[in-house]
Amino acid sequence: MTLIDGKATAATIKSEIAARVASIVEGGGKRPHLAAVLVGHDGGSETYVKNKVLACKACGFESTLIRFEDDVTEDKLLDCVAELNADDCIDGFIVQLPLPKHINEQRVIEAIDFRKDVDGFHPVNVGRMAIGLPCFISATPLGILELLRRYNVATSGKRCVVLGRSNIVGKPMASLMLQKQYGDATVTVLHSHSQDLKQECRKADILIAAIGSPSFVTADMVKPGAVVIDVGTTRVPDSSRERGFRLSGDVDFDAVKDIASAITPVPGGVGPMTICMLMLNTLAAAEKKFYA
Ligand code: GUN
């Protein structure tokens, strides 16, 4: 069994990005600059954003963190988005999700200039991704593609099962695995209302679990030799940990690791790659790779 090490792969890619940034700056160019907008104090979001700021440092980027309290109005948040859209110093920015219930998340996403939408959540980027045009691709699916590529996992013509249909992971992942220029696989998407879910999972050569349910994928759902990618990061209470919780993947790792030919751990698998791909998207934004 091959352990697909996202942490090590992300470190390699970040040093590749840092080298590129050094050469841009040496040539008189501007350091890429990512801004992150964080609303409230959700523990998971705080951690993600903190790690994004640290990753910026590792890559030689400038970063700006803009914070609002939970009770910020939608108008105030939209004003902030408009300012970031207009600010030439900022190459790309993200609004960390989820947002409080009184804010229309979709309205905020659509207010972001798609040329600065390094999360790849704006409908222009989602649409362009779906038809294979150059664009910002959302970081988690992009990170998974990169892991498969760097670990030489053959995908063309293989059966790929995506568990979960979220806008951030499941849907774009399925779309990318389907496309000839990316996965070129035969793709099945399964979700909470799918029939024969276990049997369908067992047909997968590549199983990508993104349903947010701890240890959902058990040994009997995995074909011997399958490649298993675990996107889950649910916080499970654990009094033996200093933080009071541990991160649990969607896959029962201990049971599945002896059946799979390759598997990502949690933590240290997909998570570090997601942040790393956000850095790559920010570099692309700074270099005007997709849009002038
Ligand atoms: N919340 C969970 N994942 C993400 C992400 O990739 N981007 C943003 N903006 N919010 C998230």
Side-chain angles (χ1 to χ4, degrees):
M1 185 274 294
T2 302
L3 188 72
I4 300 179
D5 189 340
K7 197 173 168 190
T9 308
T12 303
I13 296 171
K14 277 188 278 187
S15 64
E16 290 165 6
I17 296 172
R20 174 75 193 130
V21 171
S23 104
I24 291 171
V25 172
E26 233 172 68
K30 168 187 163 308
R31 269 183 204 287
H33 190 161
L34 173 71
V37 180
L38 175 60
V39 178
H41 300 274
D42 171 76
S45 294
E46 292 263 7
T47 304
Y48 282 131
V49 169
K50 186 185 84 187
N51 288 334
K52 287 169 186 177
V53 170
L54 286 174
C56 281
K57 241 186 209 116
C59 293
F61 294 179
E62 305 256 10
S63 68
T64 298
L65 172 58
I66 300 165
R67 302 194 69 128
F68 292 100
E69 290 302 321
D70 277 316
D71 60 356
V72 66
T73 63
E74 189 175 297
D75 280 348
K76 192 137 190 244
L77 199 54
L78 290 171
D79 285 346
C80 172
V81 167
E83 279 171 28
L84 290 168
N85 284 341
D87 187 342
D88 289 339
C89 297
I90 303 290
D91 297 297
F93 66 98
I94 63 146
V95 178
Q96 187 66 29
L97 305 178
L99 292 170
K101 283 192 188 62
H102 67 278
I103 294 173
N104 183 329
E105 219 163 72
Q106 196 56 31
R107 195 173 293 153
V108 174
I109 289 170
E110 290 187 39
I112 297 171
D113 184 332
F114 64 87
R115 290 163 296 198
K116 293 191 176 187
D117 168 40
V118 285
D119 259 334
F121 293 169
H122 189 285
V124 168
N125 284 312
V126 175
R128 290 178 66 94
M129 181 276 294
I131 56 174
L133 295 176
C135 65
F136 297 113
I137 295 174
S138 95
T140 301
L142 193 59
I144 293 168
L145 286 181
E146 191 61 20
L147 275 181
L148 294 173
R149 195 178 70 79
R150 292 198 183 222
Y151 276 82
N152 297 312
V153 174
T155 57
S156 179
K158 302 291 185 190
R159 283 182 193 278
C160 174
V161 166
V162 178
L163 259 174
R165 54 177 161 179
S166 69
N167 288 341
I168 294 183
V169 185
K171 282 182 206 154
M173 190 75 248
S175 175
L176 291 163
M177 286 305 285
L178 175 67
Q179 289 181 48
K180 197 178 174 98
Q181 60 175 320
Y182 297 108
D184 196 27
T186 302
V187 180
T188 302
V189 183
L190 303 175
H191 52 79
S192 52
H193 290 91
S194 294
Q195 289 181 1
D196 303 323
L197 188 138
K198 279 187 188 244
Q199 295 92 311
E200 291 297 326
C201 283
R202 265 191 84 84
K203 294 178 190 165
D205 300 306
I206 300 156
L207 178 59
I208 302 173
I211 39 168
S213 180
S215 301
F216 182 90
V217 175
T218 47
D220 57 328
M221 292 161 69
V222 178
K223 179 161 91 172
V227 174
V228 179
I229 305 292
D230 190 348
V231 186
T233 51
T234 307
R235 288 181 165 201
V236 177
D238 184 342
S239 55
S240 73
R241 305 288 175 101
E242 204 178 307
R243 302 180 296 184
F245 67 88
R246 66 189 150 79
L247 288 184
S248 173
D250 288 348
V251 177
D252 181 352
F253 182 88
D254 289 334
V256 169
K257 71 179 194 316
D258 299 323
I259 301 167
S261 64
I263 185 168
T264 61
V266 174
V270 172
M273 288 299 290
T274 295
I275 292 181
C276 188
M277 293 300 109
L278 177 66
M279 300 300 117
L280 215 47
N281 277 346
T282 304
L283 177 62
E287 298 196 283
K288 308 262 182 275
K289 192 167 159 196
F290 305 131
Y291 307 114

